Amino acid sequence: MVALVDVRRLIPRTDAVLADARLAGAQQRLGRPLVLAAVRRAQDQARAGEIEPGAVADAAVAGLPPRAASLTPVINATGVLLHTNLGRAPLSAAARASLQAAAGWTDLEFSLDTGARSRRGRGMLAALAAAVPAAEAVHVVNNNAAALVLAATALAAGREIIVSRGELIEIGDGFRLPDLLESTGARIREVGTTNRTTAADYAAAIGPQAGFILKVHPSNYRIEGFTASASVADLAALGVPVVGDIGSGLLAPHPLLPAEPDAATWLEAGAALVTASGDKLLGGPQAGLLLGRADLVTRLARHPLARALRVDKLTIAALEATLAGPRPPVAQALSAGREELLDRAERIADRLRAAGIDAGAGPADGAVGGGGAPQVALPGAAVSLPPALAPLLRAGDPVRSGSVPAVIGRVEDGRLLLDLRAVPPADDELLGDAVIAAGAAAGPAAGLPAGRG
């Protein structure tokens, strides 16, 4: 007579699995809850007959996340330099090192020289002021929308903000500028039409209730044809403070983006206050920059709402390093030439073809993204692959295990393009590793002969 044993009785107890040295060490790195979840998933696999009971510890180790946070590093091969879904601007090595230094105790509001309390973010503010000499004073909040909200609250609550109908934009994720401004208690005074607004339209709207004139760069769209708009200089001559939202974070003119407004030019033209983003063309962390007249900036910085909108020590550290340190990745990527990018694409494609993957290289046009320079094409290059690789590069087993980064491209004309515009040259080898790992998983669907990879 043969006695049947329920294999579920052979599944090791949770505490026994957690005692495995690999899992005990992982608890120090990831915390007990994440390790415990991996163990329970492995036990469930054993109960379902997917693995042997003796393999539970190994399966739990294989199922551990690479980090305690769920955010997954990606290589941005979309060709969009400032991709909002991928976190916009990547930080420079200097900014990342500054983040690490700021992660512990710091002299955030403390003077090491005197032993007394000191101004929060003094180094960051000094670096921002040095970057925009046309600004009498500067302040930083947590994003550009917050900068506009603070300006509207401090300067126009219960009063009117005069703005062109052609500049009442939607800023993303369904948030609309009129709703944002009216939430502060200010009233929107629309002037002109969608396609034509003149300085005379603004002048006719100015009355005792005028808080300020708002000049908004449309950023992610363009109206062409029968159009007219008033310049900052025209508006500054009307005698009411002009608040300019340049959006993209360009602090000075850029030769590749002649139509993109910058903070220095608008301030020199007479804007009383300019707001901008820190994580777009500036290339830093998410932040809202406020630049302009000393009396207005001081008024905003001392407003009670400023306390709710202030940035933390990590943003302070990263922004200062971005402003005072070497050129950030966004600036480097923006200036990369097509021939340079084509050479890199050919080298990567050669390596992939040697691994048996159907790969090519050719010209491709990228974009600034992040709402900036919507009609500017950035001539570049891309590696061309079978589209079957796209999901594996995003979320295949090698990506989930953390052995390779996720790679996000775009599909055009039946091919997956990995555009190198936003990929640092130092990541070319990593990108190749990720494609080879994905190709090994895809097999013939990726043009990879069976058994290769």
Side-chain angles (χ1 to χ4, degrees):
M1 181 175 180
V2 178
L4 297 177
V5 177
D6 187 346
V7 295
R8 290 176 296 181
R9 294 181 178 275
L10 302 178
I11 296 172
R13 290 163 48 95
T14 300
D15 56 354
V17 181
L18 287 171
D20 183 289
R22 297 169 296 174
L23 295 169
Q27 291 183 63
Q28 299 298 314
R29 178 171 58 89
L30 299 173
R32 181 179 173 85
L34 290 176
V35 176
L36 182 59
V39 169
R40 287 175 173 162
R41 285 195 299 270
Q43 290 171 324
D44 288 341
Q45 287 179 287
R47 292 187 186 98
E50 297 171 6
I51 61 173
E52 294 295 324
V56 166
D58 289 340
V61 170
L64 289 173
R67 290 160 296 277
S70 62
L71 287 176
T72 301
V74 308
I75 291 178
N76 174 14
T78 64
V80 179
L81 188 54
L82 298 167
H83 201 301
T84 298
N85 299 148
L86 303 182
R88 291 186 181 163
L91 297 179
S92 66
R96 296 182 193 199
S98 297
L99 281 174
Q100 183 66 35
W105 299 106
T106 73
D107 59 341
L108 179 65
E109 297 181 9
F110 181 77
S111 170
L112 297 176
D113 292 329
T114 67
R117 182 170 182 167
S118 64
R119 187 183 185 189
R120 181 186 181 91
R122 55 201 177 277
M124 170 201 67
L125 295 171
L128 181 56
V132 191
E136 294 178 4
V138 299
H139 185 62
V140 176
V141 291
N142 53 20
N143 62 25
N144 190 43
L148 281 175
V149 164
L150 182 57
T153 303
L155 306 179
R159 305 180 70 189
E160 292 181 344
I161 298 173
I162 303 171
V163 60
S164 167
R165 288 185 172 90
E167 297 174 4
L168 292 173
I169 61 173
E170 184 172 304
I171 59 175
D173 199 25
F175 290 98
R176 294 177 170 176
L177 185 63
D179 299 335
L180 186 74
L181 296 175
E182 288 175 344
S183 72
T184 69
R187 299 188 301 277
I188 302 296
R189 179 72 181 271
E190 301 178 22
V191 297
T193 62
T194 303
N195 60 319
R196 292 180 65 83
T197 306
T198 66
D201 293 321
Y202 292 91
I206 294 174
Q209 289 299 304
F212 59 82
I213 292 171
L214 178 61
K215 176 72 173 173
V216 181
H217 176 50
S219 296
N220 56 4
Y221 75 94
R222 191 83 64 204
I223 298 175
E224 296 181 339
F226 186 57
T227 64
S229 63
S231 69
V232 172
D234 290 338
L235 299 179
L238 299 179
V240 175
V242 176
V243 175
D245 173 16
I246 63 170
S248 70
L250 198 61
L251 300 186
H254 195 290
L256 294 178
L257 306 172
E260 194 71 13
D262 65 275
T265 299
W266 277 24
L267 288 169
E268 289 164 358
L273 193 68
V274 168
T275 72
S277 296
D279 59 346
K280 295 186 181 180
L281 287 172
L282 179 58
Q286 177 178 294
L289 314 182
L290 287 154
L291 315 141
R293 273 175 30 191
D295 61 327
L296 296 185
V297 173
T298 299
R299 186 172 166 187
L300 268 58
R302 300 312 306 164
H303 192 279
L305 184 59
R307 180 64 173 79
L309 302 177
R310 78 176 188 180
V311 292
D312 72 340
K313 62 180 181 178
L314 301 181
T315 300
I316 288 172
L319 184 56
E320 180 179 354
T322 300
L323 291 161
R327 285 199 311 160
V330 164
Q332 297 180 41
L334 185 62
S335 62
R338 169 162 278 173
E339 291 305 315
E340 170 194 349
L341 296 172
L342 273 172
D343 287 345
R344 290 172 54 199
E346 289 287 3
R347 288 195 295 270
I348 294 170
D350 286 345
R351 179 189 173 197
L352 298 180
R353 284 192 291 265
I357 294 174
D358 172 15
D365 286 342
V368 173
Q375 292 183 319
V376 175
L378 301 176
V383 177
S384 168
L385 300 167
L389 286 178
L392 295 167
L393 285 169
R394 290 196 310 267
D397 288 340
V399 174
R400 285 194 288 264
S401 71
S403 60
V404 296
V407 178
I408 317 298
R410 68 179 190 267
V411 175
E412 283 185 7
D413 299 326
R415 296 286 286 180
L416 171 64
L417 299 185
L418 302 185
D419 192 309
L420 299 184
R421 168 63 60 182
V423 180
D427 284 352
D428 286 357
E429 185 173 353
L430 271 177
L431 184 147
D433 292 343
V435 175
I436 290 171
L448 188 68
R452 291 286 303 275

